[in-house]
Amino acid sequence: MSHEKYKSMITTLHECMTACNHCYDSCLKEDHLEMMRVCIRLDRECADICSYFEQALVRGTPYVSELAALCAKICEDCGNECKKHDHDHCQKCAEACFKCAEECRKLAA
């Protein structure tokens, strides 16, 4: 299978998507929803691009470097926003996002 060489990246993308989805859901339950608005939006953006990129790698996309660069940017932005919040789910999401961004940058190069 052609996607076997991306096995580690696929796992990282899936972990980031899962962390972002959990953060998104948890943020919606926070008392001060207004201050979580940007975090919620970026969680969705990040989960969606990670999910798409994961699927694209499995399909054997010819756009690996382009998608990796975009995914790295969105993951970095999401991680930076989540890092601002003290909630455990935000901190775990930031960690997953930064790990994913780092791996994506390697593929984008």
Side-chain angles (χ1 to χ4, degrees):
M1 287 190 217
S2 64
H3 69 273
E4 284 299 314
K5 68 180 178 178
Y6 298 118
K7 187 175 182 177
S8 176
M9 183 75 249
I10 289 168
T11 299
T12 301
L13 287 163
H14 192 80
E15 289 170 354
C16 187
M17 178 207 54
T18 301
C20 287
N21 279 331
H22 175 69
C23 188
Y24 166 82
D25 185 59
S26 297
C27 283
L28 288 173
K29 297 172 185 167
E30 294 295 340
D31 291 333
H32 304 288
L33 196 56
E34 184 62 33
M35 70 178 264
M36 303 306 293
R37 184 180 304 254
V38 175
C39 188
I40 291 167
R41 184 171 189 279
L42 284 170
D43 283 337
R44 288 301 328 133
E45 294 282 348
C46 194
D48 287 349
I49 191 63
C50 287
S51 177
Y52 179 79
F53 191 25
E54 176 185 356
Q55 293 172 56
L57 286 173
V58 171
R59 283 193 309 268
T61 183
Y63 303 106
V64 172
S65 61
E66 293 88 348
L67 288 171
L70 177 61
C71 192
K73 170 74 171 123
I74 294 171
C75 286
E76 189 79 27
D77 289 351
C78 187
N80 284 330
E81 179 61 29
C82 284
K83 188 173 68 170
K84 295 177 186 177
H85 304 283
D86 291 332
H87 310 294
D88 188 52
H89 57 84
C90 287
Q91 293 301 310
K92 287 180 179 176
C93 186
E95 185 180 318
C97 287
F98 291 141
K99 178 182 176 186
C100 194
E102 182 180 335
E103 291 302 311
C104 283
R105 280 192 291 276
K106 291 176 188 175
L107 279 183

